[in-house]
Amino acid sequence: MLFHSILFYVFAAIMFGAALGVVFSRNPVHSVMLLVLTFFNAAVLWLMAEAEFLAIVLVLVYVGAVMVLFLFVVMMLDVNVEAAKRGLTRYAPFGIAIALLMVVELMQLIWLRSQVGDTVGGFVPNPEGYSNTKALGSVLYTEHVYAFEIAAVILLLAIIAAITLTMRKRPGLKVQNIAKQVGVRAKDRIRVVKMDAEKKS
Amino acid sequence: MNLMDFLAAAPEMTLLGLICVVMIADLFIEDERRVHTFWLSMISLAITAAVLQATSPDTRVVIFDGSYVSDSLSQVLKLGAVLFVALAFLYARDYLRANDLNKGEFYLLGLFGLLGMMIMMSANSLLTMYLGLETLSLSLYALVAFDRNNVTSAESAMKFFVLGAIASGALLYGISWIYGVTGSIQFHEIYAAISADPSLNNLPLWFGLAFLIVGIAFKFGGVPFHMWLPDVYQGARTPVTLYLASAPKLAALALTLRILVDGLGGLHETWGTMIMVVAVLSLLVGNLVAIAQTNIKRMLGYSTIGHVGFILLAIFCGTAEGNAAALFYTLTYVVAAAGAFGVIVLMSRSGYDVELLTDFNGLNARSPWFALMMMFLMFSMAGVPPFIGFFAKLNVISAVLAAGFPGLAVLMVLVTVIGAFYYLKVIWFMYFEEAEDKAVLQASTDTRLVLSLNSVAVLALGIVPGWLLALCIDVLS
């Protein structure tokens, strides 16, 4: 159990440091990279809490897809970092005040819970042969199947809406018509003219 | 659970399947033959309506582990929604063709919106309700921005989207509080939890409730969450406004009745007050501001806010009679709204949208029949007997009186009198002003026929309102 705790603190510390780095890094690309590191460490923590499915999904979806998209956007927009960072010191007191408020609220909640006495009794490992993925799937595809299907419909709708609003046929755009190119015959393009040999004069 | 149990959700499944068929088919239809998409969508709507009729439940059926309910209320609302979406498509067809907006996505997004409405009407849990609402809202955002070269459309879509996202957030926040207090997201369980433990009826639950009311008031367009409504009505192209003003109101009614009555019926005293404040403000602001409008779409937008005040006051009563009056009012209002926007769509020609009240000048000289139709619709909205709008208002007022609020009843009569002014103004313009443009209105035969039927319906229903009222009472008892 000690080894487990050490691992937890190591990964938690790396995650904390990386999260700070996201905010304080001067280069937005570095920020994105550090965010990837944060997500990865969060995934490891989930793995240690035996939530394997969530951990893998976090890496696959967030690190694999969302953060790559982020990186594209950051590189494409070429954000002026200096201008964005200028407000940091100005807004810092405000941010710290909100963070402190949240800490106080959390402490209060924990204190209240400890007074009542029904604190969650530590981490209980799952029994042998328990599959996190199976448990999640069995709820998702039975109890919540209706909501799950509607969510899929919403995604389809979002695709259609996005295409409706953005796809346009620009006039004067030079596009290859593959079917026409393939369907072309030699006789459409060149005319072979039979001629008698010219007499040498 | 037996596979046959899912049959209760057959209308939604059928519609989703047909949407996919229309979507694929539309890819292979060229722009000039886009009318095929229209007919495919109409056939889809007809099949959905047929399936709805075929699977009509005798009793209340709850499936999908309590997330879906099929009862007579959902049945009536869904049939109404299918009908009004079909009307919106039909009125939109010629306009879209004339204005170079003839894209299949209009019908596709409209069908998706209908699916969202049907999900809302059959929702038995807060999660399903929220997902249905998002399906509906997403298609509405895209529809409002449909004409993307139009700056006003884009602006109103942006407003609608941002404000709608905030309202959805408020709703979701309220839902999480309700879940936190009662421990369930299913309406009947929430109801049971509150009646089992009256100590739950306390500040945390009211806090969540307040956020739910914000979300509901926004989606309905009640003051002070109405800011988006006039701008969106004006900014969207007229067929989109027509779509927006008709069927989604039925979905908003379902949202209100399901959450407040089915789920939080035990909190009537608390939400009643909140709803009453929203309703009274809507009545006043909607009717007073509408007088100052010169744009017909904006005017009808404010008048919608006024009508929403009536619907919310009927729900405020908290009685079965009040709920029936709300359903009756919504159904009949939507008939009149669909017709009125239908006339506006019909009057718009290629490249010229009817926007101003003065565009109605001398309509009687141009097309006496449509002027008469518009007069019927305006009379109905104003609440002149024997049109159906009169009976709708009468029902709400008598429900409010029966619940013991004579002051509110007097207020409703007063705002009705104020509201009559701007409806009659339209009629004045049509009959007593000279037209600058003498062109006769052009319309294809089917549009002409259906629009006439729609307008005559407000008179016919007004002469025999009994069966519809009986249906509404029966559905909500």
Side-chain angles (χ1 to χ4, degrees), chain B residues 283-444:
Chain B
L283 281 176
L284 291 172
V285 172
N287 282 299
L288 290 175
V289 181
I291 294 175
Q293 303 306 319
T294 53
N295 183 307
I296 176 89
K297 279 155 77 182
R298 211 175 166 79
M299 189 202 91
L300 287 177
Y302 277 106
S303 107
T304 303
I305 297 172
H307 289 292
V308 165
F310 275 96
I311 297 166
L312 290 180
L313 267 188
I315 294 168
F316 150 77
C317 296
T319 54
E321 192 194 355
N323 294 339
L327 178 60
F328 185 75
Y329 198 105
T330 315
L331 283 172
T332 54
Y333 164 70
V334 169
V335 174
F341 280 107
V343 173
I344 301 174
V345 172
L346 190 76
M347 287 173 71
S348 306
R349 289 185 311 278
S350 168
Y352 179 74
D353 272 16
V354 166
E355 293 267 317
L356 300 177
L357 277 173
T358 46
D359 287 331
F360 279 86
N361 278 354
L363 184 65
N364 183 41
R366 291 167 60 191
S367 298
W369 177 250
F370 285 115
L372 184 71
M373 295 295 109
M374 190 66 177
M375 186 169 78
F376 281 3
L377 295 163
M378 288 294 116
F379 273 150
S380 176
M381 281 198 190
V384 175
F387 296 94
I388 189 68
F390 169 73
F391 292 99
K393 286 189 163 62
L394 191 69
N395 275 325
V396 175
I397 291 173
S398 68
V400 169
L401 273 178
F405 298 96
L408 289 175
V410 171
L411 176 78
M412 280 193 277
V413 174
L414 279 179
V415 294
T416 306
V417 174
I418 296 170
F421 170 73
Y422 56 84
Y423 294 122
L424 294 180
K425 204 160 74 174
V426 177
I427 298 172
W428 168 268
F429 280 127
M430 288 193 304
Y431 281 90
F432 301 106
E433 292 281 342
E434 274 301 306
E436 291 163 25
D437 168 23
K438 304 273 194 236
V440 177
L441 298 191
Q442 301 293 328
S444 51

Side-chain angles (χ1 to χ4, degrees), chain B residues 171-317:
Chain B
L171 197 67
L172 210 51
Y173 190 56
I175 288 173
S176 63
W177 273 85
I178 302 284
Y179 174 62
V181 175
T182 62
S184 177
I185 51 169
Q186 286 168 17
F187 294 140
H188 55 274
E189 283 179 13
I190 294 174
Y191 194 93
I194 293 171
S195 35
D197 184 3
S199 69
L200 286 182
N201 189 352
N202 214 326
L203 202 58
L205 200 59
W206 301 343
F207 189 73
L209 179 64
F211 279 96
L212 286 185
I213 298 277
V214 170
I216 289 171
F218 177 88
K219 297 298 173 192
F220 237 131
V223 179
F225 308 102
H226 67 292
M227 300 301 182
W228 61 276
L229 199 138
D231 286 349
V232 172
Y233 271 39
Q234 185 186 357
R237 297 306 289 258
T238 317
V240 177
T241 313
L242 165 63
Y243 182 91
L244 196 66
S246 51
K249 296 286 174 250
L250 295 176
L253 182 75
L255 172 79
T256 319
L257 285 180
R258 293 271 185 224
I259 291 186
L260 293 185
V261 180
D262 284 8
L264 299 166
L267 293 182
H268 172 245
E269 276 179 28
T270 318
W271 60 252
T273 324
M274 300 187 202
I275 285 285
M276 189 195 71
V277 172
V278 173
V280 168
L281 285 175
S282 306
L283 281 176
L284 291 172
V285 172
N287 282 299
L288 290 175
V289 181
I291 294 175
Q293 303 306 319
T294 53
N295 183 307
I296 176 89
K297 279 155 77 182
R298 211 175 166 79
M299 189 202 91
L300 287 177
Y302 277 106
S303 107
T304 303
I305 297 172
H307 289 292
V308 165
F310 275 96
I311 297 166
L312 290 180
L313 267 188
I315 294 168
F316 150 77
C317 296

Side-chain angles (χ1 to χ4, degrees), chain A residues 146-156, chain B residues 131:
Chain A
Y146 189 51
F148 189 75
E149 295 296 331
I150 301 172
V153 172
I154 292 180
L155 285 180
L156 175 65
Chain B
L131 287 170

Side-chain angles (χ1 to χ4, degrees), chain A residues 142-147 150-151 153-154 156-158 160-161 163-169, chain B residues 16 23 64-65 68 105 108-109 112 115 119 127-128 131 134-135 138-139 142 145-146 148:
Chain A
T142 55
E143 202 178 316
H144 297 296
V145 66
Y146 189 51
I150 301 172
V153 172
I154 292 180
L156 175 65
L157 170 60
I160 292 172
I163 292 174
T164 312
L165 297 181
T166 52
M167 199 186 81
R168 61 189 73 206
K169 288 200 180 78
Chain B
L16 180 59
M23 182 172 70
F64 289 124
D65 284 284
Y68 182 97
E105 282 85 359
L108 212 50
L109 289 169
F112 266 116
L115 181 63
I119 291 169
L127 181 64
T128 321
L131 287 170
E134 282 306 289
T135 315
L138 262 179
S139 22
F146 192 67
R148 52 171 187 233

